[in-house]
Amino acid sequence: MNTSNYKLSANNAHLKYTDLLPYKEESKTTQEFLQKIIDILIDFVKATNDRNEKILDFHHPHDMLKLLDLKIPEKGYNLQQLINDCATTLKYQVKTGHPRFFNQLSCGLDIVSMVGEWLTATANTNMFTYEIAPVFILMENVVMTHMREIIGSNWINGDSILAPGGSISNLYAFLAARHKMFPNYKEKGIATIQGQLVMFTSDQSHYSVKSCASVCGLGTDNCLMVPSDLQGRMIPAELERLILDRKAKGHIPFFVCCTSGTTVLGSFDPINEIADICQKYGLWLHVDAAWGGGLLLSKKYRHPRLSGIERYALY
């Protein structure tokens, strides 16, 4: 991506951000600046879908540092330099939408989704109340209701939220489970728990599950990794064995995290069997569906004791 292809007019190249809206009422400079940025993005999209293009112009870190000017300046750069930097950034970016790029977590670009990001970034609002984001709030309610309808009729009148990612979703589930078992924890803290809490997840689960035990005070030793079979699925009998072992020690098992689509093997834990065990011993069952949520829905799991399927990969 050649930066010489994105030259601003001589009148605007040397200007700064203070010469754009809203600092200056005249909008032609802003329009030309944004148009050059759009040109860069369109060229990258074209290159991403071109089989003759390389997936990545690779350089080792020490070589890449020589190609980039990453020092923090005392004063802001002019508009032309900002445009050049945008072009350079994409020049060395992995083309995740390339026909020959294969990765289970990076899926390239969807044009409509990109436009949606432009829209929300331009509005630059929060989602706290209807007063500050009336259309977005209504859209969120409609989308969440529809997602619950897909899960099943028993969920339509429930509640749900959008989370920023799978790791935070697992943390949300952990906190919900602890609050469910110990509703006074919010006010009284750890003193309300008379015993050692323990949680369980597959040895193939995402690393963020174990981090919940760390950041929330359980300690990683109290996040038990349940053995999996040759297909990478949690073994229900091993889960029950570990629950009974900890109960015999006077500990309090309270949370089990299944995985629907493990990061490495794409495996699905046997949710129904695990749900029966959770009901038997009074544990909260969480399903980490960040990877394979869409496939989870297609399999139509409808176990009546699922506490929540936290995030769906329906794109």
Side-chain angles (χ1 to χ4, degrees):
M1 188 171 284
N2 192 339
T3 57
S4 64
N5 296 333
Y6 312 107
K7 292 293 186 181
L8 289 169
S9 63
N11 291 334
N12 292 329
H14 68 283
L15 299 179
K16 301 291 188 67
Y17 74 95
T18 49
D19 294 295
L20 301 174
L21 289 171
Y23 301 95
K24 294 291 179 68
E25 293 184 4
E26 195 276 317
S27 62
K28 290 184 179 180
T29 301
T30 300
Q31 184 173 343
E32 184 185 8
F33 177 74
L34 291 177
Q35 185 60 58
K36 292 299 180 183
I37 297 296
I38 291 173
D39 291 343
I40 292 171
L41 297 180
I42 291 175
D43 286 347
F44 181 76
V45 172
K46 290 179 180 178
T48 294
N49 291 280
D50 185 351
R51 292 178 182 272
N52 295 318
E53 289 278 346
K54 293 194 297 184
I55 296 173
L56 171 65
D57 185 0
F58 178 79
H59 299 272
H60 288 286
H62 62 277
D63 294 323
M64 182 68 79
L65 286 171
K66 297 175 183 178
L67 297 172
L68 304 175
D69 180 10
L70 297 179
K71 67 177 182 294
I72 300 175
E74 293 294 329
K75 296 182 179 180
Y77 288 128
N78 62 41
L79 298 183
Q80 185 61 64
Q81 187 59 52
L82 294 179
I83 287 175
N84 293 347
D85 288 346
C86 289
T88 300
T89 298
L90 290 184
K91 178 180 180 180
Y92 298 113
Q93 170 59 32
V94 178
K95 298 178 180 67
T96 58
H98 194 283
R100 293 192 174 95
F101 177 82
F102 298 100
N103 184 276
Q104 77 274 28
L105 298 179
S106 300
C107 58
L109 173 69
D110 177 82
I111 297 295
V112 174
S113 296
M114 180 181 72
V115 173
E117 294 233 20
W118 288 354
L119 189 74
T120 54
T122 302
N124 195 26
T125 185
N126 60 56
M127 294 282 287
F128 296 158
T129 63
Y130 176 82
E131 288 75 15
I132 197 65
V135 178
F136 292 150
I137 290 291
L138 293 178
M139 289 171 62
E140 181 183 35
N141 285 333
V142 169
V143 170
M144 292 289 89
T145 300
H146 182 62
M147 291 297 295
R148 294 195 301 273
E149 289 173 350
I150 294 175
I151 299 172
S153 59
N154 293 335
W155 295 70
I156 294 176
N157 295 322
D159 200 2
S160 52
I161 60 172
L162 294 170
S167 297
I168 295 298
S169 296
N170 289 332
L171 180 60
Y172 287 169
F174 174 99
L175 296 173
R178 188 173 64 183
H179 180 74
K180 174 69 174 180
M181 184 171 286
F182 302 99
N184 293 328
Y185 188 92
K186 178 179 179 181
E187 294 80 17
K188 300 185 180 302
I190 197 170
T192 193
I193 302 176
Q194 302 301 313
Q196 175 62 59
L197 289 179
V198 289
M199 57 188 287
F200 306 85
T201 190
S202 162
D203 59 10
Q204 298 295 310
S205 67
H206 193 257
Y207 65 86
S208 62
V209 181
K210 196 167 188 176
S211 73
C212 293
S214 174
V215 301
C216 294
L218 264 69
T220 55
D221 287 349
N222 295 301
C223 177
L224 276 67
M225 313 305 287
V226 182
S228 57
D229 60 21
L230 293 178
Q231 284 73 45
R233 302 170 299 188
M234 183 191 297
I235 302 173
E238 288 295 305
L239 170 64
E240 186 167 22
R241 178 185 66 80
L242 290 172
I243 291 173
L244 290 172
D245 177 68
R246 284 304 182 109
K247 287 177 70 69
K249 295 177 180 178
H251 296 170
I252 307 173
F254 82 110
F255 179 82
V256 174
C257 179
C258 285
T259 308
S260 289
T262 59
T263 305
V264 177
L265 297 176
S267 300
F268 282 66
D269 290 335
I271 299 175
N272 286 340
E273 294 91 331
I274 294 171
D276 289 334
I277 294 172
C278 288
Q279 185 197 35
K280 182 177 180 180
Y281 297 104
L283 279 71
W284 177 290
L285 174 59
H286 169 62
V287 181
D288 180 350
W291 198 103
L295 184 57
L296 175 65
L297 289 177
S298 70
K299 288 187 175 182
K300 297 186 184 300
Y301 285 108
R302 294 290 186 269
H303 198 288
R305 291 179 291 280
L306 286 179
S307 66
I309 299 172
E310 48 83 33
R311 193 166 75 94
Y312 294 101
L314 298 178
Y315 303 114

